[in-house]
Amino acid sequence: MNIVKPGFTYDVFTRAKADAGLIEAMRGVKNRVPREGLNAMATASLKNGSGPAAFYIGLWSGAHIPDGEETAATLASPVTEVTTYSQTGRLPLVLGNVADGAVSNAASLARFDMLGTGTINGAFVSTVQAKNAATGTLYSVVRFPNPRAFDASLYLELLVGFQFTSLSL
């Protein structure tokens, strides 16, 4: 039996700003849903709690390996948020319709127009748009298998999806 774990999956596309040519693609990177995100999902879905108004995608650098104990308030300690992109805040995660227990931003990829130079080691999903914010709720944190170097000639597109899984008896 093939078991699919629930959680977020990321595809990252590195493209040239000059012609939108694909330079590199990384597909199917699974995340760690931190305890904070799991508790928020369970509260919203099973305890009649309120869900977040919106989700936002951020990028990070650093050597951290997600362990599930990260929170929006503590993420800045083990990682450094990458903020060298032209947009004024973290990018909205615009999710489409839910189908078969899954949802993604396939119709509206998050495009980070990079500035300067640096390295990205991972991404995260939060409920707060402000760069470097330590508030809100952290729903996902992922470390990429390989760092992504960037400079001002590139942009990154992220396809982010979430999938639940159903047990078959």
Side-chain angles (χ1 to χ4, degrees):
M1 177 169 75
N2 186 13
I3 298 176
V4 177
K5 294 181 180 180
F8 288 89
T9 301
Y10 294 74
D11 290 351
V12 182
F13 306 101
T14 304
R15 295 187 178 275
K17 286 182 185 176
D19 62 3
L22 182 63
I23 295 170
E24 193 171 19
M26 179 176 37
R27 298 178 187 273
V29 182
K30 303 289 185 185
N31 85 312
R32 167 79 70 155
V33 177
R35 184 182 322 273
E36 179 176 65
L38 292 172
N39 289 342
M41 287 180 209
T43 299
S45 298
L46 304 171
K47 297 295 289 178
N48 293 323
S50 60
F55 292 106
Y56 301 94
I57 304 169
L59 305 171
W60 60 271
S61 65
H64 180 65
I65 298 172
D67 61 11
E69 297 305 319
E70 299 85 4
T71 67
T74 65
L75 186 63
S77 178
V79 307
T80 301
E81 185 169 351
V82 173
T83 60
T84 48
Y85 50 92
S86 65
Q87 294 86 352
T88 58
R90 297 171 181 161
L91 299 188
L93 175 57
V94 181
L95 297 170
N97 295 325
V98 175
D100 299 323
V103 64
S104 78
N105 70 333
S108 183
L109 300 181
R111 177 182 165 159
F112 290 85
D113 291 314
M114 305 312 293
L115 304 170
T117 60
T119 302
I120 296 168
N121 286 3
F124 61 91
V125 174
S126 171
T127 59
V128 174
Q129 188 170 24
K131 292 178 182 178
N132 288 316
T135 58
T137 303
L138 187 64
Y139 274 75
S140 171
V141 61
V142 65
R143 180 178 175 85
F144 301 147
N146 299 305
R148 313 314 284 161
F150 68 85
D151 61 42
S153 71
L154 304 174
Y155 67 89
L156 299 179
E157 287 181 321
L158 272 68
L159 169 62
V160 181
F162 183 88
Q163 178 179 356
F164 285 102
T165 188
S166 177
L167 299 176
S168 55
L169 302 174

